[in-house]
Amino acid sequence: MMQSQHPPSNYQNNQQNLDDFDEVWVPNPLGQTQGPAATSGLIDIIKSGSLDSLLTNPWLVSIFVATIISVLIGAIATILAGQRSTELTPEQEAQQALLQKSQNLEQTDNNFREYLTRDDNNSGMVSNPGLLQAATLEAGARYRNRIIASLNNPQNPAYNQHEELINYNSEIEALKRINLGASGKEAQLKYVDPSTGLWVTIPIDSAELAASGLTKLNIISNSRRETTQRFDLVTVAQNIRKILSEVKAARLEALRVKGLSPVASELEKTDWFGNKASPSEAEISDYQQYKPEPIPANPNTSKQTQDKPSPKPTGGQDDK
């Protein structure tokens, strides 16, 4: 006996079950436009866990192969580019070495200038002075002591005067140096070389003469500080030679990379006192602290001819 079959409710109105169609390539029976069918098809295949479908789908295999080839080509190109960038010509290596040594020298020079000219502007006790400030503060303390000694000495023309009168005269003398330098005048510095015991006279350029006047004004100004500080000048000298040695080492490297090894060798074997020595012996050394300088018996034995008579040596039995 035949029984009438009633189609499922979802088959009514000529609508078919969407599960009966393969969405990978069959259009939507409802007439709707499909989205990225290939992408959703790939997702469905992955969700279904059908490895055979992935391996036998020519479209997917071609994409996979093309991706692998692109990755390999990119990797090879990166490796070759890296090799070309690391392979420098001798000229390029020399230029890089010169640039590096020049940068090292410039940085060392900057460190030297900062240490030399650093200024601690604390109105009280300074804790981080540069070498020039330390020497200036020491000079200011000594200048103040000399002024006080002069004011208390009945034999001194400044006896019982106010110290600011003496300071004012000292400032006038400092301004004379600055004015002379500004007008193009030069000067001479004469001293006894401790290493030879002979008089040495060196010229002072007009700008250097003006700088000495400015330094003198700085010394006078520091003598007016309420708090005076003392600094060991031997320590200042040691520290300046130490940092100059660092500058010297960087300069020797820069000279050698420029092909000036003979010049570097000549500098290397000369210490900061002008003595010739092997590099291992050209270390920082010191003169004896605060020993009086020897006065040559005859000033005419100076290394340079004097333009005017040298001061007569004091002391000895011949002074009458």
Side-chain angles (χ1 to χ4, degrees), residues 116-120 126 129-144 146 211-225 227-233 236:
L116 180 65
T117 61
R118 183 192 309 153
D119 198 3
D120 185 341
V126 301
L131 296 179
L132 181 58
Q133 185 184 20
T136 302
L137 289 171
E138 171 64 18
R142 295 187 183 191
Y143 170 85
R144 179 80 178 276
R146 289 196 301 271
S212 71
L214 293 171
T215 302
K216 181 65 176 180
L217 290 177
N218 197 7
I219 291 172
I220 299 171
S221 176
N222 278 283
S223 72
R224 295 187 172 103
R225 293 168 61 96
T227 304
T228 58
Q229 286 182 254
R230 307 303 302 270
F231 292 87
D232 185 7
L233 295 181
V236 172

Side-chain angles (χ1 to χ4, degrees), residues 6-25:
H6 298 282
S9 60
N10 60 348
Y11 274 40
Q12 295 177 358
N13 300 325
N14 295 325
Q15 291 186 359
Q16 303 297 323
N17 192 334
L18 297 181
D19 293 335
D20 292 344
F21 298 94
D22 188 348
E23 293 183 353
V24 175
W25 61 276

Side-chain angles (χ1 to χ4, degrees), residues 101 105 245-258 260-269 279:
K101 299 303 180 183
L105 177 58
S245 296
E246 296 175 2
V247 177
K248 179 180 177 181
R251 182 165 288 111
L252 293 180
E253 292 181 356
L255 287 171
R256 288 192 170 101
V257 80
K258 291 179 181 178
L260 300 174
S261 294
V263 178
S265 299
E266 183 67 20
L267 293 176
E268 188 174 31
K269 66 183 180 181

Side-chain angles (χ1 to χ4, degrees), residues 174-188 203-214:
L175 284 171
K176 286 181 180 179
R177 301 185 201 179
I178 298 173
N179 293 334
L180 287 172
S183 63
K185 301 295 182 181
E186 297 184 350
Q188 290 182 332
I204 297 180
D205 179 76
S206 58
E208 188 176 356
L209 178 60
S212 71
L214 293 171

Side-chain angles (χ1 to χ4, degrees), residues 95-109:
Q95 290 176 356
Q96 282 194 353
L98 178 59
L99 178 61
Q100 181 63 46
K101 299 303 180 183
S102 299
Q103 290 176 344
N104 292 344
L105 177 58
E106 182 179 3
Q107 182 61 48
T108 308
D109 269 330

